[in-house]
Amino acid sequence: MAQQGTQQKGGNSSATLMEKLVSLCKRRGFVFQSSEIYGGLNGAWDYGPLGVELLRNLKAEWWKEMTYRENIEGIDAAILMHPRVWEASGHVENFTDPMVDCKQCKSRYRLDILLEGYSEKNRRKIAEELANFINTNSENPNLFKGFLDELISVDPRFASTLSTKEIVDILLDLSKQIDWMVEKFSTLLFKKEFSKIALPFLLCPNCGNKGTFTEARKFNLMFKTYVGPVEDTGAVVYLRPETAQGIFVNFLNVQAGSRQKVPFGIAQIGKAFRNEINTKNFLFRTREFEQMEMQFFVKPGTDVEWFEYWRAQRMQWFINLGMAKEKLQWHQHPPDKLAHYAKDAYDIEYAFPFGWGEIEGVHNRTDFDLSRHEQFSGKSLKYFDETTKEKYTPYIIETSAGASRSFMAFLVNAYAEEEAPTGEGGVETRVVLRFHPKLAPVKAAIFPLVNRDGMPEISKKIEADLRPHFRVFYDDSGAVGRRYRRQDEAGTPFCITVDSQTLQDQTVTIRERDSMKQERIAAEAIAKYVGERI
Ligand code: GAP
């Protein structure tokens, strides 16, 4: 995680940068709070006119990248699925977060990330208090029954300890390592014996009281609802928490219909829902979001090779769409944090203003999914290889990106504040969204320099000619400098101005957003010029 409050572009602190982005999104119609006039609904956001264009462009780029290949087919599965799907997938049992409530102020926290929000001083204090407690109560063996086993399960160093003093010394030493405190200590807090002893030392980040947390409980993140008018258990359905299952259960349908042969993939874009305990950081963790997932079915034994292939492909996709390389990194899931289905898993992380955050996961899911659906449905999901006459359950390599999270990453990546010359010879700060032209919501803006001498008529004609090809915007109000600034803020890559010379020779100026350089080109060449650059 990046340090909170670090300086970002234009000297902004990370918190200020996020505030500016959220405010820009609202002001310019990228993203609004859901049901804002009723005070908003936590964890849900609405995409406005510019936002929906950006989101659709992003999804279109992903769709082209993934499905315009000979070995990938697309589908669009229903959000509601048979409830047994979620038993087979493991979601009913395992898709839970550990949660605690503060009995004093009623705030609710995900236990596994609670420590992330503590200052270094507080984390150390907790470990020290815990160590002192162990030390003072070392005579009471019953108190620590099971506790040591749990410590050993997350950190083998405890296995070689002989005395309470050694446990205390190791704990004190580890308390200075922030990663250990966030990763291992958090994991330990969800273990019964450890949390019984350690929870009383935790402070509520909201009211500051100590020892006010309830016991940790498992909280299933799936939204449950009912099919039909009667709310009984037989009618339970879930809003899908991932799009992947719609692909797995259709594996043989797609394979038969498209006559694909393994290795091949199935791609899908769609909404997913998770009842997240803590929604945070704008679009980063929401309760309703969109995923772009592709499941690639391979012969067992070739999975590692395909895993590496897809890792490379997916990282390159973000870079090709303008993401700064140094703002992207891989995070490999350590073996003890791997999801129940995964053999290996890597996240593509982006350096958000609040720290590194996952935008896409690439997972080697083995034959877990197809085997489980086979077991739960009683239907064979084996693949028959016509050439070798072999029958087997394919392994699956999954690429799972969040459309909404990527949207936010592309937005952060595009945001810049810089000094720009004014028409009067001074300088001013311009806010510019440097989107890749393929992603930009509006591709070109058309301005008549003045609202007379036939310039509006020519501009309107240019607008009408361009509209069938790209999303364009016509603006005739205010000084041209102001109009440029408005388009910079919307991320429009090209601004076309009709001026007095246009009346003479039918040429216009075309200004490129990032360099602010202007060229003169023939009005009739605009569509070709813009088309070649987006
Ligand atoms: N099928 C595998 C799967 O769903 P995941 O890591 O839970 O894996 C994949 O989710 C991607 O979905 C994440 O990388 C992230 O971009 C997005 N995502 C997950 N939960 C999200 C949430 N609450 N809000 C926004 N995006 C989310």
Side-chain angles (χ1 to χ4, degrees):
M1 288 291 263
Q3 296 292 307
Q4 295 290 317
T6 45
Q7 292 295 305
Q8 300 282 337
K9 291 172 185 169
N12 289 310
S13 73
S14 52
T16 322
L17 180 58
M18 279 310 293
E19 276 164 27
K20 285 186 177 177
L21 271 170
V22 175
S23 142
L24 171 72
C25 278
K26 170 163 183 187
R27 186 160 38 85
R28 294 309 310 264
F30 279 94
V31 180
F32 310 122
Q33 203 182 7
S34 161
S35 331
E36 193 191 65
I37 59 169
Y38 288 97
L41 177 72
N42 212 347
W45 297 89
D46 298 338
Y47 292 82
L50 289 182
V52 73
E53 288 297 326
L54 175 60
L55 185 62
R56 290 179 80 102
N57 292 343
L58 171 62
K59 290 188 287 183
E61 285 307 313
W62 184 89
W63 192 253
K64 270 194 268 174
E65 166 78 9
M66 302 305 272
T67 69
Y68 288 16
R69 299 175 183 241
E70 59 181 2
N71 57 359
I72 297 189
E73 306 290 340
I75 62 160
D76 190 359
I79 287 173
L80 301 179
M81 301 181 75
H82 194 287
R84 291 276 283 167
V85 166
W86 306 110
E87 287 172 39
S89 68
H91 282 80
V92 170
E93 195 186 341
N94 296 318
F95 198 51
T96 56
D97 272 345
M99 179 197 75
V100 285
D101 290 305
C102 172
K103 286 183 258 183
Q104 198 71 34
C105 69
K106 312 287 177 227
S107 304
R108 177 166 284 182
Y109 295 97
R110 247 177 77 178
L111 189 53
D112 58 336
I113 58 168
L114 187 63
L115 260 72
E116 277 178 28
Y118 284 6
S119 66
E120 189 181 333
K121 199 170 129 211
N122 270 342
R123 287 179 199 142
R124 200 169 300 170
K125 199 158 157 244
I126 293 163
E128 279 167 9
E129 285 182 353
L130 181 62
N132 285 337
F133 178 84
I134 299 168
N135 215 2
T136 352
N137 293 280
S138 59
E139 304 303 311
N140 182 350
N142 276 341
L143 200 61
F144 298 109
K145 232 177 172 186
F147 175 87
L148 189 59
D149 289 340
E150 290 177 352
L151 274 176
I152 295 167
S153 74
V154 302
D155 199 315
R157 265 171 288 189
F158 290 102
S160 56
T161 54
L162 297 169
S163 66
T164 319
K165 169 141 189 358
E166 278 170 313
I167 298 175
V168 169
D169 286 347
I170 298 176
L171 257 182
L172 285 178
D173 184 41
L174 289 171
S175 75
K176 294 178 197 127
Q177 299 171 26
I178 296 315
D179 286 351
W180 193 89
M181 286 300 285
V182 169
E183 296 246 333
K184 308 282 185 191
F185 198 94
S186 296
T187 309
L188 277 166
L189 278 175
F190 194 46
K191 296 190 182 270
K192 211 163 146 238
E193 298 304 322
F194 186 89
S195 87
K196 211 161 59 189
I197 288 174
L199 260 179
F201 296 110
L202 298 195
L203 304 171
C204 168
N206 184 46
C207 66
N209 282 305
K210 195 164 101 180
T212 52
F213 285 126
T214 57
E215 261 182 43
R217 279 178 290 155
K218 275 188 175 183
F219 174 74
N220 196 297
L221 300 188
M222 283 196 293
F223 280 102
K224 207 189 245 184
T225 185
Y226 301 90
V227 168
V230 187
E231 290 192 9
D232 65 33
T233 47
V236 164
V237 285
Y238 300 97
L239 300 189
R240 67 180 176 201
E242 61 172 12
T243 59
Q245 300 300 326
I247 297 180
F248 303 143
V249 298
N250 278 302
F251 162 61
L252 283 184
N253 286 339
V254 174
Q255 193 265 323
S258 61
R259 298 174 57 230
Q260 285 281 1
K261 291 187 173 55
V262 169
F264 79 97
I266 305 177
Q268 174 169 221
I269 297 178
K271 290 262 185 174
F273 304 84
R274 295 182 188 179
N275 199 359
E276 300 281 3
I277 299 168
N278 297 120
T279 56
K280 63 173 184 183
N281 293 326
F282 194 30
L283 305 171
F284 187 79
R285 182 170 292 123
T286 55
R287 296 199 169 105
E288 176 177 341
F289 55 97
E290 246 176 322
Q291 288 188 314
M292 308 185 290
E293 295 198 298
M294 192 280 299
Q295 312 294 332
F296 202 73
F297 302 86
V298 304
K299 188 171 179 183
T302 63
D303 51 311
V304 173
E305 203 182 309
W306 279 110
F307 184 66
E308 289 310 321
Y309 171 82
W310 282 111
R311 279 211 309 131
Q313 291 279 305
R314 294 308 305 147
M315 180 62 101
Q316 196 56 43
W317 183 76
F318 287 103
I319 295 167
N320 290 349
L321 285 175
M323 281 222 178
K325 262 190 192 157
E326 66 280 9
K327 297 264 172 158
L328 292 166
Q329 71 174 19
W330 283 109
H331 165 75
Q332 185 178 17
H333 293 205
D336 60 330
K337 291 257 166 148
L338 276 177
H340 56 279
Y341 52 76
K343 170 172 156 186
D344 200 359
Y346 279 81
D347 296 336
I348 298 179
E349 294 187 331
Y350 181 78
F352 288 102
F354 46 82
W356 288 98
E358 171 193 344
I359 50 178
E360 171 157 352
V362 182
H363 311 128
N364 182 343
R365 302 184 66 118
T366 66
D367 59 0
F368 175 84
D369 306 284
L370 294 180
S371 303
R372 291 278 289 192
H373 285 302
E374 209 170 56
Q375 188 189 332
F376 278 68
S377 68
K379 304 269 159 47
S380 168
L381 290 174
K382 294 203 171 40
Y383 171 76
F384 180 67
D385 188 326
E386 300 280 356
T387 328
T388 62
K389 308 291 177 215
E390 281 175 281
K391 209 173 187 188
Y392 59 84
T393 308
Y395 268 35
I396 294 175
I397 307 301
E398 166 181 76
T399 71
S400 174
S404 340
R405 242 186 229 180
S406 306
F407 174 103
M408 184 170 153
F410 279 113
L411 197 68
V412 171
N413 189 67
Y415 185 88
E417 285 173 23
E418 54 188 37
E419 304 275 277
T422 63
E424 295 75 43
V427 281
E428 63 177 1
T429 304
R430 80 162 180 151
V431 170
V432 54
L433 289 177
R434 298 177 184 276
F435 292 126
H436 189 289
K438 283 187 195 312
L439 297 182
V442 175
K443 307 299 183 199
I446 304 116
F447 312 149
L449 184 63
V450 289
N451 277 318
R452 54 182 154 75
D453 304 335
M455 291 184 210
E457 289 75 12
I458 298 173
S459 305
K460 279 279 173 199
K461 162 116 190 15
I462 293 173
E463 181 201 358
D465 288 346
L466 293 181
R467 264 205 194 283
H469 306 286
F470 331 105
R471 194 161 174 92
V472 294
F473 185 79
Y474 181 87
D475 190 359
D476 61 1
S477 69
V480 168
R482 292 253 70 79
R483 289 183 245 171
Y484 280 149
R485 294 291 166 270
R486 287 200 286 264
Q487 292 310 311
D488 288 344
E489 244 190 9
T492 308
F494 301 104
C495 289
I496 296 145
T497 306
V498 170
D499 54 18
S500 50
Q501 196 177 324
T502 315
L503 308 175
Q504 314 297 322
D505 62 8
Q506 290 80 50
T507 62
V508 294
T509 66
I510 188 156
R511 174 230 193 223
E512 197 274 324
R513 178 196 64 207
D514 298 346
S515 63
M516 294 190 283
K517 289 217 173 80
Q518 299 190 17
E519 272 183 72
R520 271 210 98 80
I521 63 167
E524 63 179 23
I526 301 172
K528 185 165 180 282
Y529 182 99
V530 177
E532 281 169 359
R533 288 163 177 77
I534 61 173

